[in-house]
Amino acid sequence: MSSAASRPASTPFGPGHTDDLMSFLAASPSPYHAVRNAAERLEKAGFRRVEETEAWDGTSGGKFVTRGGAIIAWYVPEGAAPHTPYRIVGAHTDSPNLRVKPRPDMGNQGWRQIAVEIYGGTLLNTWLDRDLGLAGRLTLRDGTHRLVDVDRPLLRVPQLAIHLDRGANDGLKLDRQRHMQPVWGTGEVHEGDLMEFVAGEAGVDAEDVAGWDLMVHPVEAPAYLGRDRELVAGPRMDNLLSVHAGVAALAAVAGRDELPYIPVLAAFDHEENGSEADTGAQGPLLGTVLERSVYARGGGYEDRARAFAGTVCLSSDTGHAVHPNYAERHDPTHHPRVNGGPILKVNVNQRYATDGTGRAIFAAACEKAGVPWQSFVSNNDMPCGTTIGPITAARHGITTVDIGVAILSMHSARELCGAEDPYLLANALVAFLEG
């Protein structure tokens, strides 16, 4: 673990960054909203949208592309050569939740319900007895999309009373099909009711809706926690905390034409179910964008190969802080703590992509930023998860390092982090992107 006595005056982010993170979380109940909000922030920083279907030019400046729940943004310094390497911050926009099925209207025993499917590795019990809203995107018959966010109590997954399940406290077992369908009213069920309601919320005619990607979200706002407000509780920290930090860091370095690298933010969708999508890290989106940038600046295959060979990606995703009630589940010599700075994730079986070279790169960035950092490795009896890191390294042949912020309650409807860690991460990312 490395530490620093104080944050250098040149480091851009302090406690106000965490306030802004909470606003970003609240405004981003779906990957599509997160991408829209990230794009708006980048546009305010001088970035411009480019379309994948149009020819790209080789001009300098900030640019970004969006596709569904993914966004790739980059800043080309003045005079950057075609073979200039990239410095990439990788993250993902999706979070485990409940998602609306194609035929959503259902009910039982006089209750009107919504049919949902479990997305990702959701902690199911955290969605019980919680006020829930509905958000996502509608696809209209003309091919355009409309975002919708019902950010008020609309749905609820009611838990069975203790009187009807005396053993609930000895081991709650939930059936993913039967027990997780939320209620949203009483009376007769009519096919099309939900879509008529959602279309009205979006300001469109239900007959114009040809498809939808809708998901449930808790409506309780992010909040500071603790006697000294040193903790933050909120939804979707995994992994909008990293997306927010990446956007802020990229905007902070944009305009610096002395940069030796081209800084990039790559925020993918569908990480929580394996990244196998056209908007996921397994897809071609990142590689295509980077290659097109090389070619737009007059480069060829040799320049592309040189650029990729010198590229480094920090795959930033949340990790596990040591749990006070389950410390034995963690590796005995690696106990990351909240407000201890970002963590370096290591797994020799390549569930994380970090190696010794990556460790040195990350340590140098943290030292430059004056940011403390910690190491994370799983208990040998507890197989760890994975990230976009190994995928990015293998698919594109670029050096990749897995990092993140240590949190509790990962994959819960409401997660917990230290109030200092979001801006410590953002400052480390700035130093990394600066090279």
Side-chain angles (χ1 to χ4, degrees):
M1 174 174 171
S2 173
S3 62
S6 61
R7 184 169 53 89
S10 61
T11 306
F13 303 114
H17 176 88
T18 303
D19 294 335
D20 190 60
L21 166 65
M22 294 165 71
S23 298
F24 186 80
L25 293 174
S28 305
S30 78
Y32 315 108
H33 289 83
V35 166
R36 181 194 65 184
N37 294 330
E40 289 177 351
R41 287 165 180 254
L42 290 170
E43 286 177 329
K44 289 180 181 178
F47 286 69
R48 63 183 176 90
R49 183 189 300 270
V50 294
E51 299 296 336
E52 292 185 80
T53 55
E54 297 178 357
W56 293 3
D57 59 48
T59 57
S60 60
K63 305 171 186 179
F64 67 89
V65 298
T66 64
R67 183 192 291 184
I71 181 170
I72 312 291
W74 65 103
Y75 177 80
V76 179
E78 188 72 36
H83 60 268
T84 300
Y86 299 95
R87 280 281 174 113
I88 305 169
V89 173
H92 66 88
T93 61
D94 60 318
S95 303
N97 57 18
L98 313 179
R99 302 206 171 188
V100 177
K101 289 184 175 181
R103 297 185 63 184
D105 297 293
M106 61 175 292
N108 193 22
Q109 304 299 319
W111 294 94
R112 297 168 66 199
Q113 296 174 275
I114 302 301
V116 297
E117 190 172 4
I118 311 302
Y119 178 84
T122 309
L123 272 174
L124 297 179
N125 64 296
T126 67
W127 292 85
L128 302 178
D129 297 333
R130 190 181 291 273
D131 294 339
L132 304 170
L134 195 64
R137 70 174 182 180
L138 304 177
T139 302
L140 306 185
R141 295 191 182 279
D142 62 3
T144 61
H145 297 105
R146 186 68 60 89
L147 297 190
V148 61
D149 180 12
V150 185
D151 193 28
R152 62 181 185 273
L154 176 70
L155 307 165
R156 187 178 179 90
V157 183
Q159 187 170 189
L160 187 63
I162 189 70
H163 313 82
L164 303 178
D165 184 9
R166 295 291 183 178
N169 289 328
D170 299 320
L172 177 65
K173 191 166 183 63
L174 296 169
D175 185 295
R176 297 162 70 90
Q177 177 63 39
R178 293 186 296 121
H179 298 156
M180 297 305 298
Q181 311 306 318
V183 301
W184 74 311
T186 60
E188 293 185 15
V189 176
H190 300 285
E191 187 170 353
D193 274 358
L194 178 66
M195 205 43 53
E196 183 176 350
F197 167 76
V198 173
E201 292 288 314
V204 299
D205 193 317
E207 294 182 355
D208 291 333
V209 178
W212 57 84
D213 302 278
L214 298 172
M215 58 206 70
V216 174
H217 68 275
V219 298
E220 185 180 1
Y224 284 104
L225 188 78
R227 186 193 66 178
D228 300 318
R229 292 163 55 91
E230 70 267 42
L231 302 170
V232 174
R236 300 176 295 280
M237 290 183 183
D238 179 14
N239 186 33
L240 293 187
L241 190 158
S242 294
V243 174
H244 175 260
V247 170
L250 181 60
V253 303
R256 303 184 192 180
D257 288 327
E258 74 282 2
L259 294 173
Y261 302 98
I262 295 174
V264 179
L265 169 69
F268 301 101
D269 198 356
H270 297 300
E271 188 273 347
E272 297 293 357
N273 59 6
S275 296
E276 292 185 343
D278 69 316
T279 53
Q282 291 269 26
L285 183 59
L286 175 61
T288 299
V289 169
L290 299 184
E291 289 174 353
R292 291 185 68 177
S293 177
V294 169
Y295 301 150
R297 284 177 280 121
Y301 181 80
E302 185 70 12
D303 297 294
R304 180 262 188 214
R306 292 174 66 187
F308 277 45
T311 292
V312 181
C313 174
L314 286 190
S315 165
S316 181
D317 203 345
T318 55
H320 302 293
V322 61
H323 197 299
N325 299 334
Y326 302 90
E328 73 282 358
R329 302 294 182 96
H330 300 263
D331 182 82
T333 59
H334 295 78
H335 281 180
R337 299 176 181 271
V338 297
N339 293 324
I343 57 175
L344 178 74
K345 301 179 181 181
V346 178
N347 180 264
V348 296
N349 294 303
Q350 288 296 290
R351 301 292 284 173
Y352 304 131
T354 306
D355 62 8
T357 298
R359 184 184 192 278
I361 293 170
F362 178 65
C366 289
E367 182 178 355
K368 178 181 178 182
V371 168
W373 60 276
Q374 312 173 76
S375 293
F376 171 83
V377 65
S378 291
N379 185 307
N380 286 327
D381 288 328
M382 298 282 173
C384 71
T386 189
T387 69
I388 65 166
I391 296 170
T392 304
R395 179 170 182 81
H396 306 294
I398 60 180
T399 299
T400 304
V401 191
D402 272 297
I403 67 162
V405 163
I407 69 171
L408 292 182
S409 305
M410 186 184 293
H411 287 196
S412 169
R414 195 168 175 84
E415 297 160 324
L416 186 70
C417 77
E420 298 176 16
D421 285 326
Y423 64 82
L424 293 176
L425 172 64
N427 287 330
L429 296 183
V430 169
F432 166 73
L433 293 176
E434 290 175 335

